[in-house]
Amino acid sequence: MLKKVIPLASAIGLVLLSGCTTQPTSYPSFTAAPIAQNSPTAAYTQKTNTVFVILDSSASTAAAFEADSSGASKLDIEKQFLYRFNKTLPTNANLSSGLLSYGFGSCVGFNTSDLGQGITRHSTGNFQANLDQALCASGGSPLDSALAAASTELDNAPGNIALLIISDGQQVPPNTLVEAQALESKFGDRLCIYSAWVGNEGEKDGQFVLQELSNIANCGNSVNAADLTSSSAMAGFTENMLYTRTALTPAPYIAPVVRSTDEDNDGVDDAYDQCLGTPTGAVVNSQGCWSYSRIDFGFDDTTISPAYAPLFDNAAYVLQQHPSITVELDGHTDSTGPEAYNLGLSERRAQAVKDHLVNQGIDPSRLTVRGFGESQPIADNDTAEGRA
């Protein structure tokens, strides 16, 4: 794709300005937010290996930044932006960095630019120390010469390059875009151009210039530095510069397979079996328990109904197969009649069951009887249905 260079506004020209500011920059407290944190929904891949910063230290940046009530200069705001940016760069990234200031006056030794840090492996401390050496702003705005100097320095840059220009965009030479185009032609897809505008309300033409510079490489973006004072905003800008984000689709939840087990083979899964170890062959209830909990007798009677024959057949079979098992037979009555009589009746009912099992071949020593009379009702004794 051919890229068309758009001429700068006629009001922008090379102007040599006098004036100089030399006061140190104060850095507000800032805690960086982490970036590029892999998660189940996103994965990050580093796409940029070198960050090269071009800092505007021309005389126009010595002017006060009107949006800041502390009286900070635009150069201070630029350095504060880079301070936050530097703290947000991840220390575990494989990253190189460099820093170049431009102007034309005493602040750059009356050269058009000053290489504060050649491209080297990035160190948060070293980068900040080199940034702190940019103490003043003076002279014109030869951004074109700075881009030409960057072209030479970037020959040493490993991998993909993010060129970050931070400026108010004022009084830049007309051929600045031509130099940026030359950079893009030289480094091709390796280069992305980012820019941060530090300007006042009446300097929006400079914001347009920086936007045009970022457009040249078809990657990178231009921001207003005033919008990136928070940790989260700076994290988003930095993450976008250094990483490619890939959205991930979480794997569908698959419930673990619960293996059905029935160690005692009674037909009730062990997870629900309240009586593990049921004797083989025993007929169990829904809780997995071998329990003949209900043999009903007639009124004042100890006769066992023939209807219970299958129950006793199973009981006798299980006891014969498991000669170590002993059994307690408990008898009960309703509350009709004297309490002492009912206690005796309950014992006789338990004894009737014992006799029935003995007649089926079970050793009587394995069977004990116990009567509870009317003391443990399972229903209301005030009605015929309850007493039954």
Side-chain angles (χ1 to χ4, degrees):
M1 178 184 294
L2 295 176
K3 297 187 178 69
K4 183 176 181 181
V5 176
I6 302 175
L8 300 181
S10 60
I12 303 172
L14 178 61
V15 178
L16 302 182
L17 298 178
S18 60
C20 180
T21 179
T22 58
Q23 62 184 14
T25 298
S26 297
Y27 298 107
S29 176
F30 178 78
T31 301
I35 66 172
Q37 302 292 295
N38 290 330
S39 71
T41 59
Y44 293 86
T45 305
Q46 186 174 339
K47 66 179 179 180
T48 299
N49 309 101
T50 299
V51 175
F52 192 78
V53 177
I54 295 180
L55 172 67
D56 184 354
S57 60
S58 64
S60 64
T61 65
F65 185 64
E66 296 169 357
D68 187 272
S69 59
S70 70
S73 68
K74 288 187 283 184
L75 178 62
D76 289 329
I77 301 301
E78 290 178 341
K79 291 171 67 178
Q80 289 171 3
F81 176 92
L82 290 176
Y83 168 77
R84 296 190 297 273
F85 174 72
N86 181 38
K87 292 195 73 172
T88 306
L89 291 173
T91 57
N92 60 348
N94 182 17
L95 189 67
S96 297
S97 62
L99 173 66
L100 180 144
S101 301
Y102 73 91
F104 190 77
S106 59
C107 295
V108 290
F110 294 99
N111 296 311
T112 55
S113 63
D114 176 58
L115 184 62
Q117 176 185 308
I119 293 176
T120 185
R121 183 172 180 83
H122 181 72
S123 162
T124 303
N126 289 342
F127 185 89
Q128 184 62 48
N130 290 318
L131 176 62
D132 288 338
Q133 296 305 306
L135 292 174
C136 64
S138 65
S141 300
L143 180 53
D144 56 344
S145 298
L147 290 170
S151 177
T152 300
E153 185 63 23
L154 290 176
D155 286 335
N156 302 316
N160 293 328
I161 303 164
L163 178 65
L164 172 58
I165 303 168
I166 181 162
S167 169
D168 61 5
Q170 297 300 296
Q171 290 102 30
V172 300
N175 65 331
T176 297
L177 293 178
V178 175
E179 290 293 345
Q181 182 72 66
L183 272 176
E184 194 281 332
S185 299
K186 180 177 181 180
F187 294 101
D189 292 340
R190 291 180 58 203
L191 178 71
C192 291
I193 300 177
Y194 298 81
S195 58
W197 178 65
V198 180
N200 293 320
E201 185 63 28
E203 300 171 336
K204 292 293 184 68
D205 55 342
Q207 187 176 23
F208 171 78
V209 171
L210 296 184
Q211 182 66 66
E212 289 300 306
L213 288 170
S214 292
N215 289 343
I216 282 176
N218 284 333
C219 63
N221 65 306
S222 183
V223 298
N224 184 345
D227 295 334
L228 272 66
T229 57
S230 70
S231 299
S232 58
M234 180 56 77
F237 174 76
T238 309
E239 185 175 273
N240 178 65
M241 178 187 291
L242 298 185
Y243 294 92
T244 298
R245 180 183 185 277
T246 302
L248 302 178
T249 301
Y253 173 76
I254 300 176
V257 177
V258 178
R259 300 293 182 186
S260 177
T261 57
D262 182 10
E263 293 291 341
D264 54 12
N265 295 308
D266 62 0
V268 178
D269 192 284
D270 289 347
Y272 310 102
D273 196 333
Q274 297 180 16
C275 298
L276 297 174
T278 301
T280 303
V283 175
V284 300
N285 59 19
S286 60
Q287 287 77 43
C289 297
W290 181 41
S291 173
Y292 308 121
S293 60
R294 187 87 183 250
I295 301 173
D296 293 332
F297 294 86
F299 178 74
D300 194 22
D301 195 1
T302 60
T303 303
I304 298 174
S305 170
Y308 295 112
L311 182 152
F312 282 105
D313 289 344
N314 178 256
Y317 170 78
V318 173
L319 291 172
Q320 289 164 357
Q321 296 299 311
H322 303 277
S324 63
I325 291 177
T326 59
V327 177
E328 178 181 290
L329 303 167
D330 298 337
H332 302 268
T333 72
D334 64 24
S335 63
T336 304
E339 182 177 350
Y341 178 84
N342 287 333
L343 180 61
L345 177 60
S346 67
E347 291 175 350
R348 292 194 297 276
R349 286 176 170 174
Q351 184 64 43
V353 174
K354 176 179 178 178
D355 293 343
H356 192 90
L357 290 171
V358 170
N359 290 335
Q360 289 184 286
I362 305 303
D363 186 342
S365 66
R366 299 170 60 191
L367 308 171
T368 59
V369 298
R370 187 178 181 187
F372 290 89
E374 60 188 64
S375 66
Q376 296 184 4
I378 61 171
D380 186 357
N381 273 287
D382 293 337
T383 66
E385 293 80 4
R387 290 190 294 274

